[in-house]
Amino acid sequence: MKALVAYMSSTGNTKKVAEAIYGEINCEKEIKPISEVEDIAVWDIAFLGFPTHGYGPDKKTKRIIEGLCTKGRKVALFVTHAAPENEPEVAEWMTKFKQAASGAEVVGFFDCQGQLSKGTKLIMKIAPNKELRSQAKRDNSKGQPDQARLEKARVFARDTMNNFRP
Ligand SMILES: Cc1cc2nc3c(=O)[nH]c(=O)nc-3n(C[C@H](O)[C@H](O)[C@H](O)COP(=O)(O)O)c2cc1C
């Protein structure tokens, strides 16, 4: 049994979740940035992690997910976003990640809040788009993912591995 954890992360949030997941896997395993992954065929299961960019996966991310998530592959996705998990539109954004991965068998999904970087927040605050300005104002993502969220990621990893049949 071999498991891969691969992630994309500009400011470290998704990487933190990736490391929490990796720590819970008790078989042969590897963790690396997704840029170093060409094919996931050699892994029985691949945990693939991404930040939300523009209400879902951005174009490049979507291409990467579609390229890796092909027939016969088994993947568990994890995603971070600055919006709180329970905001209704977040479910919609997460569906876009699942859709991009639907060429593979998606055996698990986890998402959690990740701190909006100061730079991005600053840009949003002065954006012409009113909705972006309002989102920057409402932002409550500081310090995320915190220990409680990382613990949820660990539980997700354990459950996914326990239920997994290669
Ligand atoms: C260009 C850009 C677009 C983003 N778009 C969204 C978004 O649509 N919704 C959201 O909740 N967060 C959005 N975020 C925030 C990130 O998804 C969030 O901070 C994430 O945890 C960053 O992960 P990372 O540190 O692994 O890169 C955006 C961030 C950037 C830089």
Side-chain angles (χ1 to χ4, degrees):
M1 176 80 177
K2 288 170 71 171
L4 171 71
V5 181
Y7 59 88
M8 185 185 276
S9 185
S10 324
T11 57
N13 300 334
T14 315
K15 187 179 181 191
K16 273 186 202 161
V17 177
E19 286 165 350
I21 290 169
Y22 181 74
E24 290 302 310
I25 298 173
N26 296 314
C27 61
E28 193 183 333
K29 59 183 180 177
E30 198 172 336
I31 181 167
K32 51 187 166 185
I34 207 152
S35 56
E36 293 174 17
V37 179
E38 274 178 22
D39 192 345
I40 54 173
V42 298
W43 309 97
D44 297 298
I45 182 169
F47 287 83
L48 305 177
F50 308 92
T52 301
H53 280 172
Y55 315 123
D58 62 17
K59 267 193 191 154
K60 183 184 157 204
T61 305
K62 188 166 174 263
R63 265 204 311 275
I64 290 173
I65 300 174
E66 286 170 348
L68 293 175
C69 296
T70 53
K71 201 167 158 51
R73 314 283 189 259
K74 292 182 179 170
V75 300
L77 301 180
F78 56 102
V79 177
T80 66
H81 43 77
E85 292 85 353
N86 56 5
E87 278 205 7
E89 61 266 34
V90 171
E92 237 171 80
W93 309 341
M94 297 307 104
T95 302
K96 295 184 199 169
F97 284 93
K98 290 174 200 162
Q99 265 164 7
S102 61
E105 187 184 336
V106 181
V107 298
F109 187 89
F110 174 79
D111 71 286
C112 76
Q113 202 174 23
Q115 176 166 347
L116 186 64
S117 74
K118 276 188 186 154
T120 308
K121 191 166 172 173
L122 213 68
I123 292 167
M124 286 169 70
K125 269 186 178 163
I126 56 165
N129 183 316
K130 197 177 158 191
E131 181 53 28
L132 281 180
R133 293 202 302 276
S134 142
Q135 278 165 1
K137 236 185 188 172
R138 290 202 307 271
D139 175 50
N140 67 348
S141 63
K142 193 159 183 236
Q144 300 302 340
D146 61 5
Q147 281 311 316
R149 282 178 168 83
L150 292 176
E151 185 50 32
K152 282 187 181 166
R154 291 186 196 103
V155 171
F156 156 72
R158 284 201 293 275
D159 287 350
T160 304
M161 291 307 288
N162 286 340
N163 294 328
F164 183 70
R165 299 284 168 269

